[in-house]
Amino acid sequence: MKTIFIFALIISSLAQAQDYDLAKIKVSYQVKHSFKTVDGICEVAKCKAVCSEKVCEFLAAIRIKDFKSGNTSRDTHMWKVTKAELFPWVIGRMKGKIADNSELNLEFAGKKRSVKIYQVKFKQDQGKMILDFNFDIKLSEFEIERPRLLTMPVEDRITLTVHSEWKR
Amino acid sequence: MQQIVIFLIITFSLNHVCFGKDQLELKDLGIKAEELHKDEGMQEKLDTRSLKLQRHQYWGVATLGLMAATFLTAEEAHEAGEEAGTGGSELHQYLGIATAAAYWTTFYYQYTAPQIATTGTEEGWNTKLHKNLAWVHAPLMALTTIAGLMAWQAHKDGKKPKGLAANKEGLGQATMATFGMAGVLMVFEF
């Protein structure tokens, strides 16, 4: 009887921690310059999430070369400034309750920084999960040289938007 | 004894669930070691490409400025050329030489920038047009330079420019228009 109880306890405890795999993702960045605004999109990523009732841990890795802005010359220059051949992945890690102002730990261009996420939409339902959020980064914080057009650099602050769908 | 075992199992399970003792790692994502490989040679190639294309950009702007200055001094050169035995305005002549030198320097930086293989993205239409316009303004630039030299020689000999030399103004304007358009395509997003 006690053995059954122990077994049931283990199962129920482990069942609370659910692994989620990525079903769909779209990460986009927006860079602003006095003459134009450029959007880059990535729809390929390697992600994993482990969630209990209220707490989740997310780990995501995106290859810098998978961001496309619709212009190969611009993209190759982006690879240059972000040192994509030396640090090919952007790695994001979040742990805890996912809400506005939750901390996202980023590894990008060889630097580790924390940023706050905002406009969070987090929904868990019947083995599916949707997580949308935005965050801003400053190129200077990651020691990234700001691309220039006619000697004028792009804005230091870049906004990133994430839409992700997960399944158990 | 059994109570201790139960207590330990509960503690371990709660610790695992609530505090996530086993943190997710990159290997959990299936990233292979070779995918984390650093390619310093390729990064250097990217750096060289960006540097050359930046110089291409700056020399392009300088060329456009020199073209405009050459164009603005054309009238004065034409009047001076009417006087027999002179080669026309020296300023216009020097500006024309400087324009040609700056133009081919611009071309050099673009031509020698290392090519980088990209996958999954097409070049933007404006970049394609920017590149294709080179097939128009490069021959025009060559013809304008030859026409300018021919006109200068004709004025020096006290003759009226004929043929290609007589059309140097039109050639110069066409060069400036197509070259300027190529530049504008890269600066603004349409």
Side-chain angles (χ1 to χ4, degrees):
Chain A
M1 182 64 190
K2 275 180 184 168
T3 313
I4 293 166
F5 173 71
I6 292 165
F7 182 70
L9 185 71
I10 294 169
I11 294 297
S12 66
S13 299
L14 289 177
Q16 287 178 55
Q18 296 161 342
D19 278 16
Y20 284 86
D21 289 315
L22 187 72
K24 194 176 167 187
I25 192 162
K26 185 177 176 183
V27 182
S28 52
Y29 69 80
Q30 189 169 74
V31 179
K32 288 180 180 165
H33 184 269
S34 310
F35 295 149
K36 57 176 137 185
T37 298
V38 172
D39 291 291
I41 295 170
C42 172
E43 293 179 305
V44 188
K46 294 195 174 189
C47 305
K48 192 101 186 159
V50 178
C51 292
S52 63
E53 214 169 285
K54 289 182 180 173
V55 181
C56 278
E57 183 186 352
F58 289 92
L59 179 63
I62 299 176
R63 206 192 304 263
I64 291 180
K65 287 187 173 184
D66 285 332
F67 279 99
K68 311 287 181 194
S69 74
N71 183 321
T72 48
S73 294
R74 189 161 51 215
D75 289 343
T76 52
H77 187 61
M78 184 270 278
W79 301 349
K80 185 258 173 191
V81 296
T82 57
K83 306 175 196 83
E85 292 294 344
L86 302 180
F87 309 103
W89 298 86
V90 186
I91 296 159
R93 197 185 286 275
M94 265 198 301
K95 202 171 180 181
K97 195 172 178 294
I98 307 299
D100 277 358
N101 292 319
S102 288
E103 216 161 70
L104 168 66
N105 295 304
L106 279 178
E107 277 181 58
F108 177 35
K111 300 280 176 273
K112 289 182 182 180
R113 301 285 182 267
S114 288
V115 293
K116 301 273 186 199
I117 62 170
Y118 59 93
Q119 289 184 1
V120 178
K121 286 178 194 162
F122 184 47
K123 205 169 97 181
Q124 270 178 300
D125 187 28
Q126 293 178 338
K128 289 182 181 175
M129 184 165 73
I130 292 175
L131 174 62
D132 295 350
F133 60 89
N134 292 358
F135 63 96
D136 296 336
I137 60 164
K138 281 186 173 177
L139 294 176
S140 55
E141 284 179 355
F142 289 90
E143 294 176 28
I144 291 172
E145 171 199 342
R146 286 194 275 164
R148 289 168 181 268
L149 180 61
L150 298 179
T151 75
M152 283 181 277
V154 299
E155 281 183 17
D156 192 26
R157 184 184 294 273
I158 289 180
T159 301
L160 286 103
T161 306
V162 180
H163 168 74
S164 62
E165 293 176 21
W166 307 72
K167 62 182 178 196
R168 211 154 57 201
Chain B
M1 183 61 188
Q2 278 177 333
Q3 282 174 330
I4 293 167
V5 171
I6 292 167
F7 175 75
L8 286 173
I9 289 168
I10 292 169
T11 309
F12 173 77
S13 301
L14 288 175
N15 183 44
H16 179 81
V17 171
C18 299
F19 303 107
K21 195 181 171 186
D22 302 315
Q23 187 172 268
L24 285 171
E25 291 175 17
L26 283 182
K27 65 180 179 189
D28 298 322
L29 302 178
I31 295 176
K32 295 168 195 157
E34 60 262 31
E35 290 180 291
L36 297 165
H37 172 69
K38 294 183 178 187
D39 191 339
E40 288 181 11
M42 194 62 185
Q43 188 63 44
E44 273 177 31
K45 206 173 167 185
L46 280 171
D47 292 349
T48 309
R49 177 182 163 81
S50 286
L51 181 71
K52 290 207 170 186
L53 290 182
Q54 196 171 48
R55 287 181 180 168
H56 167 75
Q57 191 188 113
Y58 295 155
W59 277 100
V61 173
T63 305
L64 202 58
L66 286 165
M67 271 182 187
T70 311
F71 178 72
L72 290 171
T73 56
E75 187 61 33
E76 183 197 339
H78 182 72
E79 284 166 13
E82 294 292 304
E83 297 167 25
T86 71
S89 159
E90 278 190 346
L91 179 63
H92 179 72
Q93 186 187 320
Y94 294 144
L95 282 169
I97 293 166
T99 303
Y103 179 90
W104 295 110
T105 306
T106 308
F107 175 81
Y108 164 81
Y109 280 119
Q110 191 281 327
Y111 189 73
T112 58
Q115 293 297 308
I116 307 286
T118 53
T119 49
T121 316
E122 274 202 15
E123 223 160 28
W125 69 269
N126 47 347
T127 310
K128 274 185 196 166
L129 190 54
H130 172 84
K131 285 181 178 174
N132 288 335
L133 276 170
W135 292 100
V136 181
H137 60 68
L140 281 170
M141 186 69 215
L143 286 172
T144 308
T145 310
I146 295 165
L149 287 170
M150 286 167 70
W152 173 75
Q153 191 61 50
H155 285 307
K156 204 176 173 188
D157 295 343
K159 294 174 188 169
K160 204 172 170 109
K162 289 177 188 169
L164 188 67
N167 291 304
K168 80 178 179 83
E169 201 179 328
L171 284 167
Q173 285 170 354
T175 310
M176 195 170 143
T178 49
F179 188 78
M181 197 191 294
V184 166
L185 280 168
M186 297 313 288
V187 173
F188 299 101
E189 203 72 24
F190 296 98

